[in-house]
Amino acid sequence: MPDLEFVRREIEYMRVHVGRQRKDILKLQRAGISTASAELLLQRMLAKIEGLCTERDRLKRELPGVTAGKVLGSRKW
């Protein structure tokens, strides 16, 4: 089972690839080439990132001593 750090790294890795994919799609559009398959790939990549974010949030909730909505350095009025 992947740990929280692995999931975070995978999200960053996928976000970099999404940026590259978007640039490639723009280049293809400028050249007048069909981008249907590239856009489908982009949608699959975005769906994978969404799933990884869900997994990350689940793993964060399972960490001991972590409360939801807690902000570091917040004021105690």
Side-chain angles (χ1 to χ4, degrees):
M1 181 160 139
D3 65 336
L4 183 58
E5 287 305 314
F6 173 79
V7 173
R8 285 179 173 161
R9 284 191 307 268
E10 189 69 17
I11 290 170
E12 270 308 305
Y13 176 78
M14 290 298 297
R15 285 183 177 162
V16 168
H17 281 283
V18 164
R20 289 179 185 159
Q21 184 70 15
R22 285 185 172 141
K23 288 178 188 177
D24 289 343
I25 289 172
L26 286 174
K27 288 178 185 177
L28 291 171
Q29 287 172 340
R30 288 185 188 130
I33 300 171
S34 174
T35 59
S37 62
E39 289 172 0
L40 286 173
L41 175 61
L42 179 62
Q43 291 304 314
R44 288 194 306 268
M45 292 167 77
L46 292 171
K48 182 173 181 181
I49 290 173
E50 191 68 32
L52 287 169
C53 288
T54 303
E55 178 70 12
R56 177 199 60 201
D57 294 343
R58 184 187 65 77
L59 289 170
K60 282 173 44 178
R61 279 192 308 270
E62 291 177 356
L63 286 177
V66 176
T67 59
K70 184 175 180 181
V71 178
L72 293 176
S74 64
R75 295 182 180 175
K76 296 174 179 66
W77 297 91

